[in-house]
Amino acid sequence: MSLTMKPLEQLDAENHSHESREEVAFYVRVKARYVEIEYWYERLFASHDIGDFERDMLPDTYDGARLWASLAAGDINNARRSIDSIFPFGSTDEILGHLKKYKEEVQQSLAALVPKQVAKALLPATVPKRRGNQQKQECPGDMLERASVFFSCTSCGERALPWSKVNVHWHERHPDIHFFDDGGWPRKKLHVRFWEEGHQTVQKILAVLRFGSQTSAAHLDSLVKSGRLYCACGDPSLELPDELIWAKLVKHLHVHLEMNYAFKNTHLMVFKGRVVTWIDDHRLQDCIKCLPLHADTSTSSHRFSADAATRTRVERHLDKIVNPVCAVCRALAADVTTPSELATIAQSCLSRNADAIVYHLKAKHGRDFREEDVTSKSS
């Protein structure tokens, strides 16, 4: 009986086909395994008291399942075992150990993003203990609590994120992407960066308030919420004190300072038959207020409000346009010959809030609302 050898090309093709089928089957099995672990992870929080752990500080469902990636991808045979048989629901020590390590890893990774010179100013080498003369070293987590430490998301551009809200932002905005941008956990590199521009803005604010650089965000949060610390501009897009936090106030001030800087080279010009200009209505020494304890805080809730007739006109006009922008800002930007971020800011969409639009025209350009001053971004 003679044996016929298959051609090498056919053998290679069959081997490749077999490997491809195995790879696809493994991928499908691992994907299904992660879905199972995600379900198990959610049941963990629904069924157990996790003590001092705050849910916002822990991995979301996507990253939480990948804390135990080896159960899905480390061993093909493991993917056929029940999760509950590996981690009995009655025993959570190992599980909570992983979660605690995750929070510490996030803190360390965020602290590592703070430039060394900034960290040096924010974190003293030693601080006195309450008792005795001994000194203790502060940990990286302490630095993250400072009023000027914020982060921005490199995935969507969101700014003014205090460290405690970075994880929350990821839960809400990026639930299907790894928090750590090098593919898993534990890792060092995150999808965020230190918000240097915001840090500089906060330093200016603290200088006006005569607060030190080591002031905590928690202290300023309490001042903001009590109405003692506020911006006196009356911008209706800014939340009222009971809904406001320090981070939002910083972002508000930073946006206005950013616009002022961008428009600083503009000058008087005629637009639609009227002289227009850019008005700086956010000089920090004038608009930042910090009231003493027990002072009347009613002024912190003042927000500009257009009269009823004007508001109706604005709302009717907004019904006709998409993505409203300020035509006056556009005209001022077009008149500047030096390229800058001004053009981008001038193209930024206005809020669809009628009060905010009337406020913008009045505060930034000294104009009453006219329909021709608000156009569609695409026009």
Side-chain angles (χ1 to χ4, degrees):
M1 180 178 179
S2 61
L3 297 176
T4 303
M5 297 291 293
K6 293 182 179 180
L8 288 176
E9 293 81 0
Q10 182 179 348
L11 289 173
D12 286 342
E14 289 177 355
N15 285 335
H16 179 72
S17 177
H18 177 71
E19 290 172 358
S20 296
R21 288 196 302 272
E22 281 197 339
E23 186 177 335
V24 170
F26 177 69
Y27 173 78
V28 170
R29 189 160 58 245
V30 168
K31 188 175 181 179
R33 184 62 156 177
Y34 274 130
V35 171
E36 183 185 359
I37 300 175
E38 287 176 5
Y39 175 65
W40 167 83
Y41 183 70
E42 285 301 311
R43 283 194 298 139
L44 170 71
F45 287 99
S47 306
H48 284 76
D49 177 8
I50 57 173
D52 295 332
F53 290 93
E54 296 179 44
R55 186 67 178 90
D56 288 346
M57 298 293 186
L58 299 179
D60 59 15
T61 302
Y62 184 86
D63 274 318
R66 284 148 185 84
L67 289 178
W68 296 276
S70 61
L71 298 182
D75 183 342
I76 295 178
N77 292 324
N78 274 351
R80 296 186 174 91
R81 292 179 60 190
S82 161
I83 293 294
D84 288 343
S85 71
I86 300 169
F87 281 140
F89 247 51
S91 175
T92 58
D93 288 346
E94 185 173 355
I95 296 169
L96 296 183
H98 274 75
L99 298 180
K100 182 178 180 181
K101 189 175 181 182
Y102 176 89
K103 180 178 177 180
E104 293 171 351
E105 185 81 8
V106 170
Q107 283 185 313
Q108 292 169 3
S109 298
L110 289 172
L113 295 175
V114 181
K116 290 182 179 179
Q117 285 302 109
V118 173
K120 186 177 180 180
L122 297 178
L123 192 61
T126 57
V127 293
K129 283 187 174 181
R130 291 186 177 181
R131 295 180 181 178
N133 297 320
Q134 292 180 318
Q135 305 282 313
K136 76 177 182 71
Q137 188 77 25
E138 287 196 359
C139 66
D142 296 323
M143 177 177 61
L144 298 176
E145 303 290 349
R146 300 294 186 252
S148 63
V149 176
F150 292 104
F151 300 90
S152 62
C153 178
T154 58
S155 291
C156 68
E158 182 65 36
R159 304 181 293 181
L161 295 169
W163 88 268
S164 59
K165 298 299 181 184
V166 169
N167 210 44
V168 177
H169 171 79
W170 213 255
H171 285 205
E172 296 174 350
R173 297 286 295 275
H174 312 291
D176 299 322
I177 304 175
H178 275 301
F179 186 34
F180 292 85
D181 72 359
D182 44 1
W185 182 91
R187 295 291 187 267
K188 294 293 183 184
K189 198 172 181 183
L190 301 171
H191 280 287
V192 295
R193 68 175 182 87
F194 179 68
W195 191 34
E196 176 65 36
E197 302 89 341
H199 170 73
Q200 294 173 6
T201 294
V202 173
Q203 293 304 306
K204 295 174 184 177
I205 298 171
L206 294 179
V208 171
L209 295 172
R210 297 184 179 180
F211 288 175
S213 62
Q214 294 172 22
T215 302
S216 73
H219 174 59
L220 297 183
D221 270 334
S222 66
L223 291 179
V224 169
K225 284 195 170 295
S226 67
R228 291 175 56 198
L229 177 59
Y230 65 99
C231 179
C233 68
D235 186 344
S237 64
L238 187 63
E239 292 92 335
L240 293 173
D242 59 347
E243 301 172 343
L244 198 58
I245 59 174
W246 168 241
K248 289 183 178 180
L249 181 60
V250 169
K251 186 177 180 180
H252 161 82
L253 291 165
H254 179 79
V255 167
H256 282 280
L257 293 178
E258 192 175 45
M259 289 191 295
N260 288 336
Y261 180 80
F263 279 90
K264 69 178 181 178
N265 292 323
T266 60
H267 47 77
L268 287 171
M269 64 174 295
V270 177
F271 173 74
K272 301 287 186 180
R274 292 185 293 169
V275 175
V276 297
T277 188
W278 176 266
I279 300 171
D280 177 359
D281 71 326
H282 269 77
R283 289 178 292 184
L284 292 180
Q285 63 270 28
D286 296 329
C287 66
I288 286 293
K289 306 294 181 184
C290 188
L291 302 175
L293 189 63
H294 305 308
D296 178 7
T297 60
S298 58
T299 53
S300 65
S301 296
H302 168 70
R303 298 293 183 269
F304 173 83
S305 179
D307 63 81
T310 302
R311 188 181 298 112
T312 299
R313 284 175 54 209
V314 176
E315 290 172 348
R316 286 176 179 171
H317 184 59
L318 289 175
D319 288 339
K320 303 173 185 177
I321 59 178
V322 179
N323 298 327
V325 296
C326 177
V328 183
C329 286
R330 269 184 167 182
L332 289 169
D335 196 48
V336 175
T337 56
T338 304
S340 68
E341 68 274 21
L342 177 58
T344 301
I345 292 177
Q347 290 287 355
S348 298
C349 293
L350 294 169
S351 164
R352 296 192 71 86
N353 179 299
D355 289 334
I357 288 176
V358 177
Y359 165 83
H360 173 86
L361 290 168
K362 195 72 174 177
K364 301 300 184 184
H365 304 301
R367 294 162 70 90
D368 293 327
F369 170 77
R370 288 189 182 182
E371 284 76 3
E372 63 193 19
D373 291 343
V374 179
T375 61
S376 178
K377 185 174 183 178
S378 58
S379 63

